Amino acid sequence: MKARWLIEVFFSKIKQIMCIKSFAGTSHYAVEIQIFIMLILVWLQHIAKYKWALVNLVTSLWLNTFTKIDLFKWLNEPFSLPSDHNFLVTEG
């Protein structure tokens, strides 16, 4: 019974530190994947020079999933133009 209590406390702390309200899945692998993803997101937030709110970082990453960008440059300067900004030039 004591081991179960320690596990409950551990997951409670993990959820509190990583701002996880609830786990999406109930299987071992689903919880593990969600924790790893949150670790990666918190790490990206930590190394970025731009001060991202976690929800904005997640949303921006989701919106740019299929965009070819330099991740670390984009994390630090999210509002700068990409180096190949020819898409803005219009003929006319």
Side-chain angles (χ1 to χ4, degrees):
M1 195 66 171
K2 184 177 180 181
R4 180 176 168 86
W5 178 250
L6 291 174
I7 292 170
E8 293 287 337
V9 171
F10 170 75
F11 279 103
S12 175
K13 290 289 184 186
I14 290 287
K15 287 168 64 176
Q16 181 181 6
I17 291 169
M18 300 178 111
C19 303
I20 299 173
K21 292 182 182 180
S22 64
F23 291 110
T26 56
S27 74
H28 167 331
Y29 294 111
V31 172
E32 193 174 275
I33 288 169
Q34 190 171 353
I35 290 172
F36 284 139
I37 289 171
M38 283 303 297
L39 283 171
I40 291 167
L41 290 171
V42 170
W43 175 72
L44 288 174
Q45 182 186 28
H46 178 73
I47 65 168
K49 292 177 185 170
Y50 181 79
K51 296 302 173 200
W52 289 94
L54 191 58
V55 66
N56 293 340
L57 177 61
V58 170
T59 303
S60 295
L61 286 170
W62 178 69
L63 290 171
N64 288 299
T65 300
F66 297 106
T67 305
K68 186 176 178 180
I69 54 174
D70 179 353
L71 176 63
F72 295 106
K73 183 177 180 186
W74 176 78
L75 278 172
N76 296 327
E77 301 171 14
F79 301 109
S80 65
L81 288 175
S83 59
D84 58 344
H85 61 278
N86 294 332
F87 63 90
L88 292 177
V89 178
T90 58
E91 295 181 22

